[in-house]
Amino acid sequence: MAVLRDHLVANRRAILTVEALFLGAFAFMTVLRALNPDLWQPIWGGEKPFEFGFLNAILRSPVLPPYDPFFSDGVINYYYYGLFLVSVPVKAIGIAPAVAFNLIVPTLYALTLIGAFALVRRLTGRVWAALAGGAFVALLGNLAAAFPVGLSQGLAPVRQALSAGGLAGFGARLGDWFWGPSRVIYTEKLITINEFPYWSYLFADLHPHLIAMPITILVIAIAYELFDQGRKTKDEGQKIDALHGPWSLVLGPWLLAALALGALAITNAWDFPTYALLLGGALLGRAWREPESGRPIGAARERVRALGIALAATGGVVLAALLLYLPFFQNFQRPAGVSGLGWVQDASPLGGYLLIYGLFLGLLALWIFGVLARLARGTGRRTRGVVQPEAEEEPVGGSAVLGIVARPPLFANSARMLRLALWSGLALLLIIGALQPKLLEGLWASTLLLKAGLLILAGAGALALLSRRLPAATWFTVWLAVLAWAVSFGIELFYIRDHLDGGAAYRMNTVFKFGLQAWILMALAAAAALPGLARGLRRAGVLAQGLAWSAIAVLVALALIFPLVGTPSRLATRFPSSPGPTLDGLAFMDLAAYDWQGNTISLAADADAIRWLNQHIGGTPIVLQSSLEFYRAYGVRIAANTGLPTIVSPLHASEQHDPERVYERDRDVQLIYSTFDQSQALRLLSKYHVGYVYVGPIERAAYGELGVAKFDQMQGSYLNLAYKNDAVKIYQVNPSVYGFAPETAAATQPAEAPLPQPAPAPAPKPGQLTTEELERQVAANPTAPGPAFELAQRYREANQLDQAATTIERAARAHPDDVALNQLWGDILRDAGRADQAEAAYRAAVAASPSAGNYNKLGLELAKWGKLDQAIEAFNEAIGADANVADPYYHLGEVYEQQGQHDKAAEQYRAYLNIAGPDAQFSAEAKAALERLESP
């Protein structure tokens, strides 16, 4: 206890510094959130509705995994543990979720910044370097903000905005300037995301990669403590032996490592392999430098033994990390679309990479080759066979002791060759730039040059890691840099195949997630290298020092452009009418209105209804609402802002659940709202056990007033009006509706609760408009989707196909994005024998929604018409849209079999069985086809 007390007293100033830094960072980001707290905006709202819905659902869930608010009766498969962590204090304090969201972001930001500060201070012993570490990780932007590259607009709009009115209204005049620097490598063939921490916190999507940032820095810090166990402390002069010390020293760091690494695995799985490798490399480095016993490594056998123990320890920590969170993995299913690794066909250009990481690369390249130079020279005076420090006193973690026991010619030659390659390359680039600017442009766009540069840097770092006489902090800093370069090199070779595979964005998530890791690792390493770099530059002379610091100052100035310009740009992206500074993320709804497909949607009525739901509805009843996406339409705003589950929100739900079921639910939601058939609507309400039906402005605009009018007609017997304001009605479903068998014909329903039955023709069904009334409505507004859809269906049932086609054509052409209209139009034209026109309608449906289901339907119809090559193309497009939807594989096998391509057919049938399983719809046929094709 005395040692602990003395330690705390000695570090009192450091503790106060950390506390002040945390409060300052928290206050800074809280002010930014208060200036733009809105949890949705029709252009720049991001995915906050998605994340806020998950957070609300977790707060309502009594168990884990939490229920999925965007897929009723389902659970959240992944993406939730980080939100669970931040929900714990929200639940404990009882703060309103809409306010909590805007406090969680600043809290995570402050934790990230002080984590970087504390780690760099631990590595260097320098407060100024630690402050640089916090800024490098969590405050500075990339260099691309200054240049028009990718989607980055450069400085020209900044000058124009300033000249147009100075600082007043500066952010509003910039528009979406802030967006571009996060999309630097962005072409027709290659679409990537290169967020950096400050951009992520400024944009404030509460994504797993954002929540995981402080955890990643914790894992790095733990890895360093495990690596540095056994050091001699300056104040005590005694060895702390992790194997023979108190249990807290022996087990504490290891258990904490497993706990943090496991949390990282289920918060943001993309981080797990990189930081597991970081930990493993640190343990191997410790074994390489000094065995567990504390005796110098001598014989090769003992060295191999030490490395083997380190490998086993790494495996043990990784296994413990996974076992600690075993309940999560027992309920986890691989996300739809993820299918292993793929080879990169469109690598990143050198210039784009330099504009993203240029500041850190410049600092680390200077430093790492300085380290190698001193290692090769063996600087210092030799005593008893060991290179000692120079006379200059070094702090803990300094880098004066850069010698090795001997100077092997191979090491020195390798170091010289790497330095020669680097400086020769730079000189060559300067000469080329002066003589042949166009050639320099080619080199700037070179993907091969980027890979070569990363290999040189990683090779230089690997040489330094072979030294067993580098100070622990210096060695670990080198390892951070080498790992960052290895990650950068790896994602230029491989990418993770996900639901974006097959398009220009196929590398997007891989570059995004692993690129953030490279930023944090390089930023920490660059800050930790600053004291050693400063000493090295002092020794290099006044001229070299002046040139180097001038170049570094320019890079820092460029990196400051984004926080200075991007911040006001982002804060200004709000609704024209917005509340003043507040932390209530839903306050914007009282004033906001937006345009959706020509309809002005006011959110004030929805805001009142949401408040009523949050105050009066307990538990988790299913609330039917629009299934429209949340980016532009804000269709699932009720589930997002209350956490109450809805039938489906197709956007992202297809990544967590069976895409075919998602498609079916989406179709059923549209049908419940748009159909005039009360019996059909009731069967679907029963099918999904809906508790409340929500009808607001977006539902009326999307599905038509006539479709939603039926809910008023169903009051009393099937629905009860629970809430009403000027633009919103919420109906509570009568429990008797749940007694109806949702998939059984109306005639088979129980006698005590019969469904409305259609009267004999020509009378309409109860609650339906007559054909004449529909005709009058369509004549008055031929492009209204609801009446046109219903009347065309009525004509089709009466076999009046020409009238049906004419009726729906006008509405379909007026609403090209309406998939249901185009599909029905295609069905009617097909029934009428107009195959070419039907194909055009089906292709219009595909253009509106290029989903696997729509491509599959197109392929089926093409195959029926004998257009087999086109059918093959359509089925392949379906597989490309979602490789986990099984039916296209089976139908593709049928077409190949018709063409006599038996090997290809068998391959597709096997793929279908692997995905669909033995009891799926076409499993028996697929097995029979395989037996037929494979029989001699």
Side-chain angles (χ1 to χ4, degrees):
M1 291 299 295
V3 173
L4 179 60
R5 184 175 61 254
D6 293 342
H7 178 75
L8 290 175
V9 171
N11 289 277
R12 179 177 167 186
R13 181 177 299 175
I15 294 171
L16 291 175
T17 302
V18 170
E19 290 176 348
L21 191 62
F22 176 86
L23 292 175
F26 177 80
F28 168 68
M29 189 54 65
T30 300
V31 169
L32 297 189
R33 293 307 307 138
L35 293 174
N36 187 346
D38 309 342
L39 295 184
W40 183 72
Q41 203 266 349
I43 303 298
W44 304 112
E47 297 191 341
K48 293 174 189 63
F50 180 52
E51 298 142 0
F52 191 44
F54 276 5
L55 178 63
N56 279 310
I58 291 168
L59 291 170
R60 284 180 177 265
S61 281
V63 296
L64 293 180
Y67 69 86
D68 190 339
F70 304 116
F71 191 90
S72 60
D73 298 320
V75 297
I76 305 175
N77 182 37
Y78 68 106
Y79 240 41
Y80 73 83
Y81 187 74
L83 288 166
F84 167 74
L85 289 178
V86 299
S87 75
V88 173
V90 177
K91 189 79 169 178
I93 297 172
I95 192 169
V99 174
F101 191 102
N102 285 320
L103 290 175
I104 291 168
V105 173
T107 301
L108 294 170
Y109 176 76
L111 289 172
T112 300
L113 192 146
I114 66 163
F117 171 89
L119 178 58
V120 175
R121 188 180 185 280
R122 175 75 175 84
L123 290 170
T124 65
R126 300 280 198 261
V127 171
W128 65 269
L131 289 171
F136 284 4
V137 170
L139 184 59
L140 296 186
N142 58 34
L143 311 183
F147 305 98
V149 56
L151 295 187
S152 179
Q153 302 174 49
L155 292 178
V158 179
R159 289 192 294 268
Q160 294 171 6
L162 285 173
S163 63
L167 294 178
F170 174 60
R173 289 192 298 275
L174 284 170
D176 60 358
W177 185 94
F178 78 94
W179 185 259
S182 69
R183 270 72 177 166
V184 176
I185 303 173
Y186 201 100
T187 66
E188 290 184 3
K189 291 185 177 179
L190 182 60
I191 295 174
T192 65
I193 295 175
N194 51 270
E195 288 186 21
F196 42 91
Y198 182 73
W199 193 99
S200 300
Y201 283 108
L202 181 65
F203 194 67
D205 272 0
L206 199 55
H207 251 35
H209 69 270
L210 183 144
I211 300 173
M213 285 184 200
I215 304 176
T216 63
I217 296 176
L218 174 62
V219 172
I220 296 171
I222 295 169
Y224 177 67
E225 293 306 318
L226 290 174
F227 166 76
D228 198 35
Q229 280 181 346
R231 69 192 184 282
K232 286 188 177 181
T233 61
K234 295 179 67 176
D235 55 340
E236 298 177 26
Q238 62 183 11
K239 179 165 278 191
I240 300 173
D241 191 338
L243 290 182
H244 301 93
W247 74 268
S248 60
L249 289 177
V250 176
L251 296 178
W254 297 94
L255 289 175
L256 188 57
L259 187 67
L261 192 62
L264 199 57
I266 64 174
T267 298
N268 188 37
W270 299 81
D271 288 334
F272 181 71
T274 297
Y275 291 98
L277 182 59
L278 171 82
L279 177 65
L283 295 178
L284 287 170
R286 175 184 169 181
W288 172 257
R289 290 160 49 85
E290 187 176 11
E292 298 286 352
S293 63
R295 293 179 286 112
I297 293 180
R301 180 181 300 175
E302 187 170 353
R303 183 182 305 171
V304 171
R305 175 179 172 275
L307 293 173
I309 291 173
L311 279 174
T314 302
V317 171
V318 171
L319 180 61
L322 300 179
L323 288 176
L324 282 172
Y325 298 90
L326 185 60
F328 174 91
F329 293 106
Q330 287 176 325
N331 290 280
F332 176 79
Q333 295 180 359
R334 186 182 69 181
V338 177
S339 56
L341 297 177
W343 282 100
V344 169
Q345 302 298 321
D346 305 279
S348 306
L350 173 66
Y353 190 86
L354 291 177
L355 289 175
I356 297 169
Y357 304 109
L359 171 61
F360 310 139
L361 284 171
L363 292 170
L364 288 171
L366 282 173
W367 177 73
I368 200 75
F369 285 102
V371 170
L372 282 178
R374 300 199 68 197
L375 282 173
R377 290 197 303 267
T379 302
R381 57 187 176 82
R382 196 175 299 280
T383 302
R384 297 179 184 176
V386 178
V387 175
Q388 298 297 325
E390 294 178 338
E392 181 182 357
E393 179 69 17
E394 295 292 340
V396 175
S399 54
V401 187
L402 297 178
I404 49 177
V405 176
R407 284 181 293 164
L410 178 62
F411 184 93
N413 292 337
S414 299
R416 292 191 193 100
M417 290 176 63
L418 284 169
R419 289 203 316 276
L420 180 63
L422 176 68
W423 299 122
S424 298
L426 290 175
L428 183 60
L429 286 177
L430 290 174
I431 294 171
I432 292 173
L435 299 178
Q436 293 288 340
K438 290 196 179 230
L439 184 55
L440 183 61
E441 290 178 11
L443 294 175
W444 184 256
S446 171
T447 60
L448 184 60
L449 202 56
L450 171 60
K451 294 174 186 174
L454 289 171
L455 281 177
I456 290 173
L457 289 171
L463 278 176
L465 294 177
L466 291 175
S467 169
R468 297 197 294 277
R469 292 302 176 187
L470 281 177
T474 304
W475 192 99
F476 192 78
T477 301
V478 175
W479 172 227
L480 292 178
V482 169
L483 182 59
W485 296 327
V487 168
S488 294
F489 183 77
I491 62 176
E492 295 305 316
L493 299 179
F494 306 102
Y495 71 97
I496 294 179
R497 304 171 71 101
D498 59 14
H499 64 287
L500 299 174
D501 195 20
Y506 74 102
R507 290 184 64 203
M508 187 173 75
N509 281 324
T510 300
V511 173
F512 172 22
K513 305 291 187 176
F514 288 103
L516 261 176
Q517 298 169 16
W519 179 285
I520 291 175
L521 292 169
M522 270 193 271
L524 291 169
L530 282 174
L533 178 62
R535 286 188 294 273
L537 290 175
R538 285 198 299 270
R539 288 189 289 265
V542 176
L543 179 60
Q545 187 175 1
L547 289 173
W549 285 119
S550 297
I552 291 169
V554 170
L555 293 176
V556 171
L558 292 174
L560 280 169
I561 290 173
F562 183 83
L564 293 175
V565 179
T567 301
S569 169
R570 169 57 181 155
L571 295 181
T573 52
R574 303 189 68 185
F575 284 93
S577 298
S578 296
T582 177
L583 288 175
D584 183 356
L586 298 183
F588 76 97
M589 296 185 71
D590 290 321
L591 301 174
Y594 64 100
D595 178 83
W596 181 79
Q597 295 189 2
N599 300 277
T600 299
I601 308 296
S602 173
L603 292 174
D606 284 325
D608 286 338
I610 288 167
R611 282 190 282 268
W612 182 85
L613 286 166
N614 281 325
Q615 291 170 5
H616 294 89
I617 304 301
T620 57
I622 296 167
V623 179
L624 172 70
Q625 66 197 285
S626 157
S627 60
L628 296 175
E629 48 80 27
F630 53 75
Y631 282 119
R632 303 290 181 265
Y634 208 25
V636 288
R637 71 258 183 242
I638 309 306
N641 295 325
T642 66
L644 294 170
T646 191
I647 291 177
V648 74
S649 171
L651 191 62
H652 286 302
S654 59
E655 299 172 27
Q656 298 211 27
H657 305 282
D658 181 359
E660 287 293 336
R661 292 181 63 199
V662 171
Y663 170 75
E664 177 187 355
R665 286 174 173 236
D666 186 23
R667 182 190 60 207
D668 287 346
V669 169
Q670 295 180 49
L671 204 52
I672 294 173
Y673 278 110
S674 62
T675 184
F676 299 153
D677 187 341
Q678 291 185 21
S679 62
Q680 186 177 42
L682 286 168
R683 285 196 295 272
L684 291 172
L685 291 174
S686 173
K687 175 181 179 180
Y688 295 107
H689 209 80
V690 172
Y692 292 86
V693 175
Y694 189 97
V695 178
I698 193 66
E699 283 77 20
R700 291 190 175 89
Y703 307 115
E705 290 283 357
L706 293 175
V708 300
K710 66 178 174 291
F711 297 123
D712 282 335
Q713 301 166 7
M714 295 162 67
Q715 282 190 65
S717 54
Y718 300 113
L719 303 176
N720 298 312
L721 186 63
Y723 171 86
K724 177 184 178 182
N725 65 29
D726 291 342
V728 171
K729 290 182 179 179
I730 302 176
Y731 305 90
Q732 185 174 15
V733 178
N734 190 316
S736 64
V737 172
Y738 306 142
F740 302 155
E743 296 181 357
T744 305
T748 65
Q749 300 306 316
E752 64 274 16
L755 287 173
Q757 297 293 311
K765 298 176 184 178
Q768 284 189 331
L769 298 176
T770 65
T771 301
E772 291 74 19
E773 290 173 324
L774 281 172
E775 289 172 338
R776 284 195 294 270
Q777 290 189 352
V778 171
N781 187 359
T783 62
F789 186 96
E790 186 66 21
L791 182 59
Q793 187 73 286
R794 197 80 60 85
Y795 283 145
R796 183 187 178 198
E797 291 170 357
N799 203 31
Q800 299 173 5
L801 299 179
D802 290 337
Q803 290 174 277
T806 301
T807 299
I808 201 168
E809 178 180 1
R810 288 171 290 186
R813 293 190 184 281
H815 301 277
D817 294 330
D818 192 317
V819 175
L821 280 175
N822 282 290
Q823 292 286 17
L824 179 59
W825 188 21
D827 291 343
I828 292 169
L829 292 169
R830 177 201 60 199
D831 295 346
R834 295 150 66 177
D836 291 339
Q837 293 172 294
E839 180 182 345
Y842 290 133
R843 290 192 182 277
V846 167
S849 177
S851 65
N854 287 338
Y855 271 119
N856 187 61
K857 180 174 177 61
L858 173 63
L860 283 170
E861 300 301 335
L862 289 169
K864 292 175 185 176
W865 296 327
K867 300 181 179 182
L868 300 185
D869 290 337
Q870 292 169 271
I872 290 172
E873 181 181 354
F875 290 131
N876 279 321
E877 290 286 350
I879 293 168
D882 194 329
N884 289 307
V885 177
D887 287 4
Y889 293 96
Y890 174 79
H891 299 307
L892 189 54
E894 288 183 309
V895 175
Y896 279 138
E897 189 174 4
Q898 289 182 52
Q899 291 184 329
Q901 300 185 62
H902 293 170
D903 291 342
K904 288 186 176 181
E907 180 183 356
Q908 298 305 319
Y909 288 135
R910 291 191 200 96
Y912 171 82
L913 291 171
N914 287 336
I915 295 172
D919 301 317
Q921 180 180 1
F922 302 110
S923 292
E925 291 86 345
K927 291 176 184 177
L930 283 174
E931 292 178 1
R932 181 171 64 249
L933 294 173
E934 294 173 350
S935 61

